[in-house]
Amino acid sequence: MIETAIILAAGRGSKIWPYGDTWPKAALPVANRPIIRWQIDTLKKCGVKNIVVVIGHLGGQVRDAVSGQAGVQCMEQKSIGGTADALMIGLAFVKDQEFAVIYGDVLFAEEDLRSLLQAAPDKETTAALVQPLGANPPHEWLCANLENQRIAQILGHPREASHRLCGAYRLSRAMLPRLADNPGLMTSVEVGNMPPLESELAESISRFIQNGGTVRAVETKGYFIDIDKPWHLLEANSAMLKDMGLKLLTNEIAPGAKVEEGAEIAGPVVLGEGTFIGRGVKIKGPLWTGKNVKIVDGAIVGANTIIGDGAIVREYCKIEPESAIGARCVVGHAAEFGGILMDGAYSYHYGEYWGIIGRSADLGAATVCGNLRFDDQNTLHRIKGRRENPNSHCANASYLGDYTRTGVNAILMPGVKVGPYSIIGAGVILQEDLPNNTLIYVKQELARSTWGPQKYGW
């Protein structure tokens, strides 16, 4: 029985801009909960009692996310050196012979984690969760080739491979020599590849295999998402809410929650204490609300939606299915929203929004996020200077960082990203990514002439 796990949550997450500059990835919200809280809950359901979280970049937010969780302690990686280095820091506080290791930016099904932690027949103590690549390009990931349900070879971002590594492992202290000998870069790469100077855990596991060790491969059966790019966060949110919806079969109404006569509710709902649903509201469950949520004035809420504490959804707005509305958010006055609205954000006044809107963002009246191109194609993105073509409808969503603002009648074309602390002025048509700390506005040129009754013959 595996009773201890180490979660590696120190990395910066530069590829998930515009969120990695103000968030550690492990604390990003999926279905209104930090990623790491989903991980901790799943680990505990599988019998894990003690969890060490290695933090680094913006580690205070991870500490806050796990605050009050029994059996969880945080250790800091003061100098970010990679996952192998982070694991060594975590192991200093672990005495178990066998333990689980989870990357802090992955979400996985409970049944797959349970299979991983139990996948050690005979004397094999090492196992890795893997996912068949199918049509997905291997050059995006750390990959593996299998033989007889074991990992025969590990390759970093190769041209061809059968599976990808999922960042979830069952390891033993037999791995320690390979961790100590990690060269600080991935040598298990194909010719022509250019690995960064980073002590990657996958390199240590590769060397373990090359020196005669065996690593059992456990294939995923349920959902698995590595939250590496901004659109992956939307995909994870949708997958988690769908999974939650399949498991919700009956209503759960907390004390003090009230549904007025004249509200239309189809499907199960979970209503937090003090939640109020007014007449004329239309809800297609499943729906989950936090405490003191107000859904009033003819609002329409789609299936598999979650709404956080103190949020207000009002005045004939529409919430699309599989959306997450954060705590203290306001959606109203005929606005239409789909995706993730982080804590404290506002969207109202006839706006149309699809994507991820960061914390305390203020969306001006009639702001519109376009999501369908005339050529019906996905938007090409640039991630750290590299062109990428996401194989996902989320490629055309808009991604606004924390504390952003838009003026009235701003238009965001499909797929644009806006850095935190930035403003899109009134009437701007934004067609490209906007960096952090930037104000963009329309500089208007006016022509003026005289006019009056004389123009009409008086």
Side-chain angles (χ1 to χ4, degrees):
M1 171 69 74
I2 299 294
E3 295 188 346
T4 297
I6 301 171
I7 299 177
L8 307 181
R12 182 173 180 82
S14 57
K15 288 189 281 189
I16 205 166
W17 183 84
Y19 307 104
D21 288 350
T22 53
W23 287 90
K25 282 204 290 184
L28 280 165
V30 171
N32 279 359
R33 300 184 71 204
I35 294 168
I36 196 167
R37 286 291 299 275
W38 288 112
Q39 293 179 329
I40 289 171
D41 286 355
T42 306
L43 285 164
K44 288 184 174 180
K45 288 177 183 177
C46 293
V48 174
K49 299 176 181 178
N50 305 303
I51 299 172
V52 175
V53 182
V54 182
I55 62 174
H57 173 64
L58 300 175
Q61 294 186 53
V62 181
R63 287 186 187 275
D64 182 59
V66 303
S67 177
Q69 297 296 299
V72 179
Q73 59 179 326
C74 294
M75 301 301 162
E76 187 175 1
Q77 184 183 20
K78 296 185 182 298
S79 177
I80 307 302
T83 49
D85 180 57
L87 178 54
M88 290 291 283
I89 292 171
L91 277 174
F93 300 89
V94 171
K95 296 181 179 179
D96 304 54
Q97 182 64 31
E98 300 174 14
F99 48 89
V101 178
I102 307 294
Y103 285 16
D105 58 356
V106 296
L107 285 172
F108 38 78
E110 178 184 337
E111 58 268 27
D112 288 336
L113 180 65
R114 196 177 299 277
S115 296
L116 173 69
L117 299 186
Q118 297 174 353
D122 303 325
K123 296 182 179 180
E124 291 181 359
T125 57
T126 303
L129 191 66
V130 298
Q131 183 184 51
L133 277 166
N136 293 317
H139 63 263
E140 295 286 344
W141 314 105
L142 295 170
C143 294
N145 290 314
L146 309 187
E147 187 176 302
N148 298 324
Q149 294 185 305
R150 289 166 178 78
I151 295 180
Q153 183 185 34
I154 288 176
L155 289 169
H157 298 245
R159 299 175 184 88
E160 293 183 2
S162 62
H163 292 70
R164 58 170 297 191
L165 297 175
C166 294
Y169 303 98
R170 171 181 175 145
L171 302 180
S172 75
R173 290 192 172 272
M175 188 68 65
L176 280 174
R178 305 283 75 85
L179 291 170
D181 293 342
N182 191 292
L185 82 165
M186 194 81 183
T187 64
S188 302
V189 296
E190 295 175 335
V191 63
N193 206 316
M194 299 181 182
L197 298 177
E198 182 178 334
S199 62
E200 171 56 55
L201 174 57
E203 173 68 17
S204 295
I205 296 174
S206 178
R207 290 175 175 237
F208 176 74
I209 294 170
Q210 292 167 18
N211 283 272
T214 58
V215 179
R216 188 170 183 83
V218 178
E219 287 195 5
T220 58
K221 304 298 183 184
Y223 65 84
F224 169 79
I225 300 177
D226 183 342
I227 302 169
D228 193 45
K229 315 282 172 60
W231 48 88
H232 296 151
L233 191 59
L234 270 180
E235 292 169 357
N237 190 71
S238 177
M240 186 63 69
L241 287 169
K242 283 181 179 178
D243 186 67
M244 291 167 57
L246 291 173
K247 297 173 182 176
L248 183 63
L249 302 178
T250 60
N251 294 331
E252 299 176 24
I253 312 297
K258 181 181 178 181
V259 179
E260 267 196 329
E261 187 175 348
E264 298 180 25
I265 300 178
V269 296
V270 176
L271 303 183
E273 182 179 342
T275 288
F276 178 75
I277 298 177
R279 63 174 55 89
V281 167
K282 294 185 178 182
I283 293 173
K284 183 176 182 180
L287 166 73
W288 301 262
T289 78
K291 298 178 180 179
N292 302 314
V293 171
K294 292 183 179 179
I295 308 174
V296 294
D297 301 330
I300 301 172
V301 180
N304 294 320
T305 290
I306 188 166
I307 303 175
D309 294 349
I312 301 174
V313 178
R314 67 189 185 199
E315 295 171 326
Y316 311 102
C317 70
K318 182 180 181 182
I319 308 297
E320 296 290 342
E322 297 159 26
S323 293
I325 308 301
R328 307 178 308 282
C329 288
V330 175
V331 185
H333 202 179
E336 182 177 351
F337 181 83
I340 299 173
L341 193 66
M342 293 185 183
D343 291 354
Y346 278 44
S347 60
Y348 38 59
H349 293 311
Y350 307 105
E352 295 183 19
Y353 318 100
W354 155 237
I356 302 176
I357 311 299
R359 288 178 287 197
S360 298
D362 179 17
L363 300 176
T367 295
V368 173
C369 298
N371 57 71
L372 179 64
R373 293 163 50 109
F374 289 138
D375 60 5
D376 298 319
Q377 300 299 306
N378 285 340
T379 299
L380 293 176
H381 288 252
R382 282 201 175 271
I383 303 294
K384 298 179 69 174
R386 178 174 179 263
R387 292 182 66 188
E388 299 204 17
N389 186 5
N391 184 24
S392 167
H393 71 287
C394 298
N396 289 341
S398 294
Y399 299 93
L400 278 68
D402 291 346
Y403 317 114
T404 51
R405 303 186 73 178
T406 69
V408 297
N409 292 314
I411 297 176
L412 285 70
M413 300 304 285
V416 298
K417 300 185 287 293
V418 179
Y421 306 106
S422 292
I423 294 178
I424 305 167
V428 169
I429 301 176
L430 187 65
Q431 303 188 63
E432 58 187 23
D433 293 350
L434 192 65
N436 300 3
N437 302 92
T438 302
L439 165 65
I440 187 171
Y441 61 94
V442 173
K443 190 173 182 179
Q444 190 172 14
E445 182 176 334
L446 300 176
R448 184 177 301 181
S449 65
T450 61
W451 203 266
Q454 68 276 14
K455 294 289 186 179
Y456 301 93
W458 293 92

